[in-house]
Amino acid sequence: MELSDVKDRMIRRAAKEVEAGMTVNLGIGLPTQVARYVSPTTPVCLHSENGISGVGPSLPYGKADRNLIDAGGAYVSVLPGTAFFDSAVSFAMVRRGRIDLTILGAFQISTAGDLANWAIPGMFTPGAGGAMELAQKACRVVVLTTHLDKRGNSKIVKECSLPLTAPHCVSRIYTDMAVIDVVEEGLVLVEIAEGLSVNDVVASTDSPLLIPQINIPVF
Amino acid sequence: MELSDVKDRMIRRAAKEVEAGMTVNLGIGLPTQVARYVSPTTPVCLHSENGISGVGPSLPYGKADRNLIDAGGAYVSVLPGTAFFDSAVSFAMVRRGRIDLTILGAFQISTAGDLANWAIPGMFTPGAGGAMELAQKACRVVVLTTHLDKRGNSKIVKECSLPLTAPHCVSRIYTDMAVIDVVEEGLVLVEIAEGLSVNDVVASTDSPLLIPQINIPVF
Amino acid sequence: MPDKIKTIEEAISQIYDGASVMLGGFGVPGTPFCLIDELVRQGQTGLTLIKNDANEMGMGVDHLLENGQIDKLITTHIGLNSRAVNLMNDGNLEVEFCSQGILAERIRTAGAGLFGFLTDIGIDTDLAGGKKIIEVDGRRCLIETSLKADFAFIHALHADAFGNLEYSASAQNFNPLMAMAADNVIVESEFIVATGDILPNTIHTPGPFVDVVVPLVELTEEYGVVRR
Amino acid sequence: MPDKIKTIEEAISQIYDGASVMLGGFGVPGTPFCLIDELVRQGQTGLTLIKNDANEMGMGVDHLLENGQIDKLITTHIGLNSRAVNLMNDGNLEVEFCSQGILAERIRTAGAGLFGFLTDIGIDTDLAGGKKIIEVDGRRCLIETSLKADFAFIHALHADAFGNLEYSASAQNFNPLMAMAADNVIVESEFIVATGDILPNTIHTPGPFVDVVVPLVELTEEYGVVRR
């Protein structure tokens, strides 16, 4: 199976998080692609930190409005019901708990649901942008990421070694290998990617995983 | 001379405070009437606490817009350049020092320029509205008031006995008897109303008055 | 976008005894008279109201006071309603006064998910009584706490079903702030327009802040021009 | 209403060495590239910049960095400008990072004439380092201080001569906040319209906040769509 197929399936799986009635913020990178798998008939409102609610589909170069980008810099469009506002209102919406769901990328996620996704000291510290406020204040925070980093190390760890974005904020993790819930007792393996065994996932994960049943559903 | 003539002259005198280029807030009551004596060709911007810059002339009942009042409850109109905003932006403008001049009413003004204009304990304490913020933060605060209260007592006093709106905020006082400046050394008699003597004003004033010259100009 | 339209009865039936309720409006403009009238009809009691003023006798807030539904009022000025003043003076209504811009800012601070702010407004006056003073950068500041509510009643000119709102003229006042600050934001709107009909740049309150939109069938006399 | 129109040379000649300057914009939209270019031409140095980001290489803020005019940058994210990252890593540029909404709120707080606010954002992270923590209503809060500036550079779509402004789409971002927060607010506008042509309900920044309006004769390439 090609990597791109697996990625597609993990994104499609994460897209099931997005339910009718929600206001949703999708982080830069993989999470942004979740929008492709949300049905246009599902009544949801996408939020972008730079001051948009009701973000419309992205546009190619030739059709772009130079003044209409999302927080990741992609040219986007308006929908019936789109609103523009300033950055203070945008983050008021975040901190006041009006973002029902955010899907974020990650460098590391700990057993306790701590998230690190903004700094690799000495290598890459460009600033946190709006990630801390989303991680700390969105009603539900899930992570969508590759299971392993570029060096092949597990991103799912006992304790984050990188600077935290926010502690105890992640509810669920979607990777190309598994779907994992964060609960009081630790991390629970909920689903595994097609073609993998539970042992494959456990061997690739630097945190203990609770295995609730013998037959883990496949995505 | 009729009282109404005197009042008209004091309001007209106070209107000279309003200079080209200013953003001005006029308090409820007498100060509101200052607008009548500002030439329509003078480029000024009137501010109202309930969320208007560029307040236009007041309108009679038959022509009123039910949604367009000033902070005193009068029906007003729009001008080219009028803007509407919320109460937080309105007072941001006040506290940030964007109101060049406010003309306020008064119960008492002290020798030190303290202003009391919001509460008479036991008799009338309806709340301060926006007066404290205007008194404390407008770039220039002047008072327009009758010299004596309804019982014939001086409103200009050594120390305010009423709860303060703000200490040390008043720069100048316009009354039906005099124009008085507040300076480091105390109160200075600047002008007197036509037909009155300096002694008349001194006798009606419960604060010492500095008399800078023998011939005080008349308004 | 999600659809948030409900009937006025449904919307107000969510209010429970003892709830805190923010009411938009400065005088008549922006006051949600129809939502208030329905609250009078349903009769929930022990309420804490947060509103700039207490309206005038015979209008809006006054009906709630007359009906004995209000325990406490957080406000800036009640001088135009002698019932409110008398209830306060007789000890039958707890009134907390704020400076007007400070009330606006306390509400917005809650709406921004923050806990308080630092100001020198009123620091040397009676209104500073009981407030904590701290020194920041060599400057004495009062700590003003954020003010949230269980419910907000909002009056808009235009609303779409998702809750994007536009206000009219000076009817804006406290409405956009309260629409951010309450846990449950109920909007009455003179016109329900198709989603997309309010231009994205003209929307004063974006839909995500709003929970319920109530269409108004007709405006009561209270919304009209007051003859003085 | 007063007339505030000046030439771009006059407007920028007010900036002095060592001044603090806020720049609107999030990426390209809302960045006042023409005002920045004139600041590069005039060459004032020792500046503290406050901007969401450092633009990309070869655009806006990058010209000021390349020209050595900037001592300090207060920002949320500089990942798209490797010059900024390298200058920071080499100790040649002081960078203060804020969480994005906290930067917005610190600017707005200054614009509202307040001195700071209380929040729990970042309280258990490295960004809390050096900030004062107090307890209010049993809750641990960071004190975030207000952030003002000597000057703000604002990019508007429409402006009238009094400084009433309307922004375009996501070009709003930090512009309305900075237009409140600086002592001297300089606006460049794509279109200067007759006073009254922006509807009172559509004005994003009311004229009293603005000091100078600069008409733009033409937009540079930097304002265009970026081909990636």
Side-chain angles (χ1 to χ4, degrees):
Chain A
M1 183 177 298
E2 291 189 39
L3 185 66
S4 63
D5 285 352
V6 182
K7 275 199 176 165
D8 247 28
R9 279 193 294 126
M10 73 189 255
I11 295 167
R12 193 182 295 122
R13 179 62 190 85
K16 290 185 188 167
E17 283 279 342
V18 180
E19 292 172 15
M22 282 183 166
T23 297
V24 178
N25 183 294
L26 300 175
I28 295 169
L30 279 181
T32 302
Q33 299 187 47
V34 167
R36 290 191 287 126
Y37 294 110
V38 178
S39 158
T41 62
T42 306
V44 296
C45 172
L46 295 184
H47 168 268
S48 187
E49 298 95 293
N50 58 332
I52 316 173
S53 59
V55 181
S58 61
L59 293 176
Y61 175 79
K63 296 193 168 181
D65 172 350
R66 62 189 166 82
N67 284 316
L68 185 45
I69 63 172
D70 67 15
Y75 293 98
V76 293
S77 55
V78 295
L79 295 170
T82 300
F84 300 129
F85 35 83
D86 67 43
S87 299
V89 170
S90 187
F91 280 92
M93 215 174 263
V94 173
R95 290 188 307 262
R96 187 60 181 90
R98 289 293 184 174
I99 306 300
D100 299 300
L101 169 71
T102 189
I103 305 182
L104 298 174
F107 296 155
Q108 292 180 328
I109 314 103
S110 79
T111 313
D114 302 344
L115 174 65
N117 76 349
W118 75 278
I120 305 177
M123 288 181 59
F124 183 70
T125 51
M132 284 187 178
E133 289 165 88
L134 284 164
Q136 211 174 322
K137 296 294 181 180
C139 299
R140 178 171 169 86
V141 177
V142 306
V143 161
L144 175 62
T145 180
T146 56
H147 205 93
L148 305 177
D149 68 18
K150 284 174 185 165
R151 298 180 179 183
N153 296 318
S154 173
K155 289 189 170 189
I156 302 171
V157 295
K158 282 198 196 69
E159 302 267 348
C160 294
S161 57
L162 298 173
L164 289 193
T165 306
H168 310 299
C169 61
V170 177
S171 291
R172 183 171 258 204
I173 308 163
Y174 293 91
T175 78
D176 47 350
M177 299 186 76
V179 177
I180 294 168
D181 271 347
V182 184
V183 299
E184 194 76 14
E185 297 74 24
L187 302 181
V188 180
L189 187 60
V190 176
E191 294 179 24
I192 57 176
E194 192 180 31
L196 294 185
S197 70
V198 169
N199 282 346
D200 291 336
V201 176
V202 169
S204 298
T205 307
D206 274 359
S207 161
L209 284 181
L210 302 170
I211 317 294
Q213 61 204 62
I214 293 173
N215 292 312
I216 302 289
V218 166
F219 73 93
Chain B
M1 182 178 297
E2 291 188 39
L3 184 66
S4 62
D5 285 354
V6 181
K7 274 199 178 164
D8 247 29
R9 280 192 293 125
M10 74 187 256
I11 294 168
R12 193 183 293 123
R13 179 64 191 81
K16 290 185 187 166
E17 284 279 342
V18 180
E19 292 171 16
M22 281 183 166
T23 297
V24 178
N25 183 294
L26 301 174
I28 295 169
L30 280 180
T32 302
Q33 299 187 45
V34 167
R36 289 191 289 127
Y37 293 110
V38 178
S39 158
T41 62
T42 305
V44 296
C45 172
L46 296 183
H47 168 269
S48 187
E49 298 96 291
N50 59 330
I52 315 173
S53 59
V55 180
S58 60
L59 293 176
Y61 175 79
K63 295 191 169 181
D65 172 351
R66 63 188 166 84
N67 282 318
L68 184 46
I69 63 172
D70 67 15
Y75 293 99
V76 293
S77 55
V78 296
L79 295 169
T82 300
F84 300 128
F85 35 82
D86 68 42
S87 299
V89 170
S90 188
F91 280 92
M93 215 176 263
V94 173
R95 289 187 307 261
R96 186 61 181 87
R98 288 293 183 175
I99 306 299
D100 299 299
L101 169 71
T102 189
I103 305 183
L104 297 175
F107 297 155
Q108 291 180 327
I109 315 103
S110 79
T111 312
D114 302 343
L115 174 65
N117 77 349
W118 76 278
I120 305 179
M123 287 180 61
F124 182 71
T125 50
M132 285 188 176
E133 289 164 87
L134 285 164
Q136 209 174 324
K137 296 295 181 180
C139 299
R140 179 172 167 84
V141 178
V142 304
V143 160
L144 176 61
T145 180
T146 57
H147 205 93
L148 306 177
D149 68 18
K150 284 173 185 165
R151 298 179 178 183
N153 297 318
S154 172
K155 288 188 168 187
I156 303 172
V157 295
K158 283 198 195 70
E159 302 266 350
C160 294
S161 57
L162 298 173
L164 290 192
T165 307
H168 311 298
C169 61
V170 178
S171 291
R172 184 171 257 204
I173 308 163
Y174 293 91
T175 77
D176 46 351
M177 300 185 75
V179 177
I180 294 167
D181 271 348
V182 183
V183 299
E184 194 76 16
E185 297 74 23
L187 302 181
V188 179
L189 186 61
V190 176
E191 294 179 25
I192 56 177
E194 194 180 28
L196 293 185
S197 70
V198 168
N199 282 346
D200 290 339
V201 175
V202 169
S204 296
T205 307
D206 275 0
S207 160
L209 284 181
L210 302 169
I211 317 293
Q213 62 204 61
I214 293 175
N215 292 312
I216 302 290
V218 166
F219 72 93
Chain C
M1 311 281 156
D3 185 318
K4 300 171 182 176
I5 293 188
K6 288 192 183 173
T7 66
I8 195 165
E9 294 79 10
E10 271 183 287
I12 299 302
S13 68
Q14 302 175 89
I15 318 296
Y16 39 83
D17 291 347
S20 54
V21 183
M22 291 178 169
L23 303 176
F26 185 118
V28 166
T31 300
F33 291 110
C34 285
L35 295 178
I36 293 171
D37 286 351
E38 179 63 19
L39 185 59
V40 170
R41 199 186 67 79
Q42 294 193 13
Q44 290 89 335
T45 59
L47 305 174
T48 294
L49 284 194
I50 300 159
K51 189 181 190 297
N52 176 65
D53 55 87
N55 290 122
E56 299 177 43
M57 291 285 283
M59 297 176 72
V61 169
D62 189 53
H63 297 313
L64 291 163
L65 291 171
E66 188 180 14
N67 208 24
Q69 294 175 264
I70 312 304
D71 280 2
K72 182 175 178 181
L73 180 61
I74 304 175
T75 189
T76 80
H77 195 279
I78 59 172
L80 295 179
N81 188 324
S82 57
R83 190 195 316 276
V85 173
N86 291 337
L87 284 169
M88 171 180 74
N89 288 343
D90 296 347
N92 292 320
L93 176 68
E94 184 185 349
V95 177
E96 179 183 335
F97 285 115
C98 297
S99 183
Q100 195 166 103
I102 297 303
L103 180 64
E105 205 62 36
R106 289 182 65 196
I107 294 166
R108 187 199 169 278
T109 297
L114 306 170
F115 304 124
F117 61 90
L118 309 178
T119 182
D120 61 355
I121 294 297
I123 195 166
D124 295 317
T125 74
D126 293 357
L127 283 198
K131 289 172 188 163
K132 203 166 166 180
I133 293 183
I134 61 166
E135 197 171 304
V136 172
D137 297 339
R139 189 194 292 273
R140 285 166 62 238
C141 304
L142 291 176
I143 297 179
E144 292 280 357
T145 54
S146 59
L147 184 59
K148 55 185 282 193
D150 301 316
F151 298 90
F153 290 5
I154 303 300
H155 178 85
L157 174 67
H158 294 131
D160 63 26
F162 180 52
N164 288 311
L165 309 182
E166 185 185 7
Y167 307 99
S168 174
S170 68
Q172 194 171 152
N173 55 66
F174 284 77
N175 277 302
L177 312 170
M178 292 174 169
M180 295 162 72
D183 290 336
N184 200 320
V185 174
I186 302 169
V187 176
E188 58 164 51
S189 184
E190 300 186 22
F191 300 97
I192 305 293
V193 299
T195 302
D197 274 10
I198 315 177
L199 294 176
N201 243 3
T202 307
I203 289 168
H204 293 128
T205 293
F209 285 119
V210 170
D211 297 286
V212 176
V213 177
V214 172
L216 293 181
V217 179
E218 76 181 322
L219 298 183
T220 62
E221 278 182 15
E222 291 173 303
Y223 293 92
V225 173
V226 180
R227 195 188 286 271
R228 288 178 215 278
Chain D
M1 310 281 156
D3 185 319
K4 301 171 181 175
I5 292 189
K6 288 192 183 172
T7 66
I8 196 166
E9 295 80 8
E10 272 182 285
I12 300 301
S13 67
Q14 303 175 88
I15 317 294
Y16 40 83
D17 290 349
S20 55
V21 184
M22 291 177 170
L23 303 177
F26 184 118
V28 166
T31 299
F33 290 110
C34 285
L35 295 178
I36 293 171
D37 286 351
E38 178 64 19
L39 185 60
V40 170
R41 201 186 65 79
Q42 295 193 14
Q44 290 89 333
T45 59
L47 304 174
T48 294
L49 285 194
I50 300 159
K51 188 182 190 297
N52 177 64
D53 54 88
N55 289 123
E56 298 177 45
M57 291 286 281
M59 298 177 73
V61 169
D62 189 53
H63 297 313
L64 291 163
L65 292 171
E66 188 179 14
N67 209 25
Q69 294 174 263
I70 312 304
D71 279 4
K72 182 175 178 180
L73 180 61
I74 303 175
T75 189
T76 81
H77 194 278
I78 59 172
L80 294 179
N81 187 324
S82 57
R83 190 196 316 277
V85 173
N86 292 337
L87 284 169
M88 171 179 77
N89 287 343
D90 295 347
N92 293 319
L93 175 68
E94 184 186 348
V95 177
E96 178 183 336
F97 285 115
C98 297
S99 183
Q100 196 167 102
I102 297 304
L103 180 64
E105 205 62 36
R106 289 182 65 196
I107 294 166
R108 187 198 169 276
T109 297
L114 306 170
F115 305 123
F117 62 90
L118 309 178
T119 181
D120 61 355
I121 295 296
I123 196 165
D124 295 316
T125 74
D126 293 357
L127 284 198
K131 288 172 191 164
K132 203 166 163 179
I133 293 183
I134 61 168
E135 197 170 303
V136 172
D137 298 338
R139 191 194 293 273
R140 285 165 63 237
C141 304
L142 291 176
I143 297 180
E144 292 280 357
T145 55
S146 60
L147 184 60
K148 54 185 283 190
D150 301 316
F151 298 90
F153 290 4
I154 303 299
H155 177 86
L157 174 67
H158 294 130
D160 63 26
F162 180 52
N164 289 311
L165 309 181
E166 185 185 7
Y167 308 99
S168 174
S170 68
Q172 194 172 154
N173 56 66
F174 283 78
N175 278 301
L177 312 171
M178 292 174 169
M180 295 164 72
D183 290 336
N184 200 319
V185 173
I186 301 170
V187 176
E188 59 165 52
S189 184
E190 299 187 23
F191 300 96
I192 305 292
V193 299
T195 302
D197 274 10
I198 315 177
L199 294 177
N201 242 4
T202 307
I203 290 167
H204 293 127
T205 292
F209 284 119
V210 170
D211 296 286
V212 177
V213 176
V214 173
L216 293 181
V217 179
E218 76 179 322
L219 298 183
T220 63
E221 278 182 15
E222 290 173 304
Y223 293 93
V225 172
V226 180
R227 196 187 285 271
R228 289 177 213 279

